[in-house]
Amino acid sequence: MMRRLVILLGFSFVLTASAGAQERPATLATLFQDIYGPRGLVVASEDVTLDGTNHAAHFNSAFQSEFRLVNIALTSQLAAIPLPSPASGFTYRFDPSTGTFQRSTRSFGPILADRGETIGKGRIAFGFSHQYFSFDHLDGVPLMSVPAIFTHDDFESGGGRADVVGTMNTIVANVSQFSGALTYGVTNRFDLSLAVPVVRTRLSLLSNATIHRVGTGSAVDVHYFPDPNAIGGFGDTHQFFAEGTATGLGDLVVRGKATVLREGPRALAVGVDVRMPTGDERNLLGSGALGIKPFAAFSTSFGAFAPHANIGYQWNGESVIAGDVREGRKADLPDRFLYALGTDLSLNHRFSVIVDITGQRVLDSPRLLTRMSTITGPAGSVTLPDIRFESASYWVHNGALGFKANIAPRLLINFNLRFGVGQNGLSDRVAPLLGFEWGF
């Protein structure tokens, strides 16, 4: 038994080492800030504007200075992605009358939630899964069309500095998560688990910028984008693009779980997940902060039905993602209150269907809002959509539908579809999961 445990632990460490050896590109955490260059969105300009002042044509915006907060949403989402339950679908209880272990539950258990039973003393469970997320909204704003206005440096001075640059931005944010989990039954009522995620994050930004000359009017040579196809080479529009992909080890999770109540089919367990900041937060592979989640899990059964309920609180420490990546300044990642309600239905002794509703109360997190802004200058006015951020708490709800199939002795295949309910936070329509569990 110990030999098998050592082999599996060795496999986990090999997985960890290979993940850490992946080659990574430049940091993704500053992609939104860096797309226009270190000085902001710079357009070509004459040395003197219509108001007679010398200046450098730098345009800045909340998009560049504050849109780093999308990193907080993305990273905290990564930290809150529910890993498949590390407990095996097979749970056992020692029968002293026969001197053997017997299956303690008929069901194979949930996929994204937990149940009150432990796997049994000396038992080992190994699981592997792949989840894919393709985010499409941030607080209800479609990532395919995020507006932002760039105002000129010292735009309060008026005159030619009243010109603005309007942008429409397309963001692509995809995350693939491969996770291995190993659980060992220390006693009949206490399990230890280790989850090792490997994360691949892809982030891109396409920004279409247009100069609105409400300050300079027909003087197209004051603020312009160099364009050989435009008259005089003075263009009104320009396209910016940046992308990056990073792959590597995510945040390791260590779990302790103990069954504190067991009466017939009813079981109540309490536990704690400790998330270690092993993922590279600068490339959005991890949170960059210690995380601790105490939780409770209750389960029971009524014939073919096996309902379960979970409740927990995710405390997060400080990370540069929530502060300033360039300066290395840290701030608190948002904490979360979490719940899960669901049931699995055993259609026969080899196949079960799982339905879940999960929710999170995200506390004091940046939220993205849109608004219309009117900019007025000596040469007219223009009304453009813009963004801003505010800090608030909000709920995120998801539904899940999946199944477990017992295709071989002690081997389960898992499939799950997780879909968003509402568009709070960083959301995707459907997130598929495919995996397997092996208990012995």
Side-chain angles (χ1 to χ4, degrees):
M1 180 66 69
M2 288 303 298
R3 182 180 178 184
R4 286 183 292 178
L5 177 59
V6 170
I7 291 173
L8 284 176
L9 284 173
F11 177 82
S12 296
F13 288 125
V14 168
L15 178 62
T16 301
S18 63
Q22 298 282 346
E23 190 172 325
R24 297 171 186 166
T27 176
L28 298 184
T30 59
L31 183 143
F32 294 117
Q33 295 170 272
D34 294 341
I35 183 173
Y36 305 108
R39 296 182 298 167
L41 196 161
V42 180
V43 303
S45 67
E46 298 297 311
D47 291 334
V48 181
T49 64
L50 294 184
D51 57 8
T53 60
N54 293 314
H55 75 288
H58 299 161
F59 289 76
N60 294 282
S61 166
F63 183 85
Q64 187 178 32
S65 61
E66 295 183 13
F67 211 79
R68 64 181 177 81
L69 299 180
V70 75
N71 295 332
I72 301 177
L74 180 59
T75 306
S76 58
Q77 179 80 5
L78 281 173
I81 286 175
L83 291 171
S85 174
S88 172
F90 303 101
T91 59
Y92 296 88
R93 185 180 303 174
F94 183 74
D95 186 350
S97 63
T98 62
T100 61
F101 285 92
Q102 304 292 331
R103 285 281 305 276
S104 60
T105 57
R106 173 182 173 181
S107 74
F108 295 128
I111 295 176
L112 298 181
D114 278 284
R115 54 181 175 178
E117 292 85 6
T118 49
I119 66 173
K121 182 178 180 179
R123 294 286 171 171
I124 299 174
F126 176 74
F128 181 83
S129 66
H130 173 231
Q131 293 187 85
Y132 179 75
F133 301 84
S134 180
F135 301 108
D136 48 47
H137 284 80
L138 178 59
D139 293 319
V141 179
L143 294 184
M144 295 298 293
S145 54
V146 180
I149 295 175
F150 285 69
T151 56
H152 198 292
D153 286 354
D154 301 323
F155 68 92
E156 299 90 347
S157 301
R161 296 180 185 270
D163 284 354
V164 297
V165 178
T167 64
M168 188 57 67
N169 305 277
T170 298
I171 299 170
V172 175
N174 298 330
V175 175
S176 289
Q177 183 190 72
F178 302 86
S179 59
L182 183 67
T183 298
Y184 178 68
V186 180
T187 71
N188 283 327
R189 289 176 175 260
F190 182 70
D191 291 345
L192 277 177
S193 302
L194 171 66
V196 182
V198 176
V199 180
R200 178 179 175 85
T201 301
R202 178 178 181 265
L203 200 61
S204 71
L205 172 61
L206 176 66
S207 181
N208 290 292
T210 302
I211 300 172
H212 298 272
R213 300 185 178 89
V214 297
T216 56
S218 59
V220 297
D221 58 342
V222 177
H223 295 138
Y224 61 91
F225 293 115
D227 183 356
N229 298 318
I231 298 177
F234 304 124
D236 297 332
T237 63
H238 192 70
Q239 191 174 83
F240 299 84
F241 179 73
E243 69 175 345
T245 302
T247 303
L249 179 68
D251 289 346
L252 298 178
V253 178
V254 177
R255 163 178 292 187
K257 173 184 169 184
T259 298
V260 296
L261 174 66
R262 185 186 291 159
E263 294 180 352
R266 296 184 297 276
L268 173 66
V270 296
V272 61
D273 288 349
V274 179
R275 187 193 69 239
M276 295 177 286
T278 50
D280 181 3
E281 70 275 18
R282 296 175 184 271
N283 278 310
L284 305 182
L285 299 177
S287 63
L290 178 69
I292 299 176
K293 185 182 77 172
F295 67 91
F298 174 80
S299 58
T300 186
S301 62
F302 304 97
F305 287 91
H308 52 265
N310 297 176
I311 190 172
Y313 184 87
Q314 176 71 55
W315 172 86
N316 295 310
E318 293 185 337
S319 170
V320 294
I321 295 298
D324 191 295
V325 175
R326 284 200 187 101
E327 297 181 1
R329 178 175 54 84
K330 294 185 176 183
D332 288 326
L333 279 176
D335 293 351
R336 298 178 179 233
F337 167 80
L338 308 99
Y339 77 87
L341 296 171
T343 186
D344 52 301
L345 170 64
S346 299
L347 300 183
N348 55 50
H349 70 286
R350 288 185 175 274
F351 191 87
S352 64
V353 176
I354 301 100
V355 178
D356 271 309
I357 297 175
T358 64
Q360 306 175 39
R361 178 68 173 176
V362 185
L363 305 178
D364 297 324
S365 178
R367 304 206 67 193
L368 176 66
L369 303 174
T370 59
R371 60 180 178 179
M372 299 301 294
S373 295
T374 299
I375 299 92
T376 301
S381 64
V382 63
T383 299
L384 300 170
D386 196 10
I387 61 169
R388 65 183 178 91
F389 286 90
E390 68 175 20
S391 182
S393 299
Y394 58 90
W395 282 100
V396 176
H397 300 285
N398 291 280
L401 177 64
F403 68 80
K404 289 187 175 184
N406 184 198
I407 62 172
R410 299 180 181 177
L411 179 63
L412 296 172
I413 294 295
N414 303 335
F415 179 76
N416 188 77
L417 292 176
R418 175 179 174 266
F419 49 90
V421 179
Q423 295 179 340
N424 286 338
L426 193 62
S427 61
D428 56 347
R429 291 185 180 89
V430 178
L433 176 150
L434 180 64
F436 71 86
E437 299 176 29
W438 180 33
F440 56 98

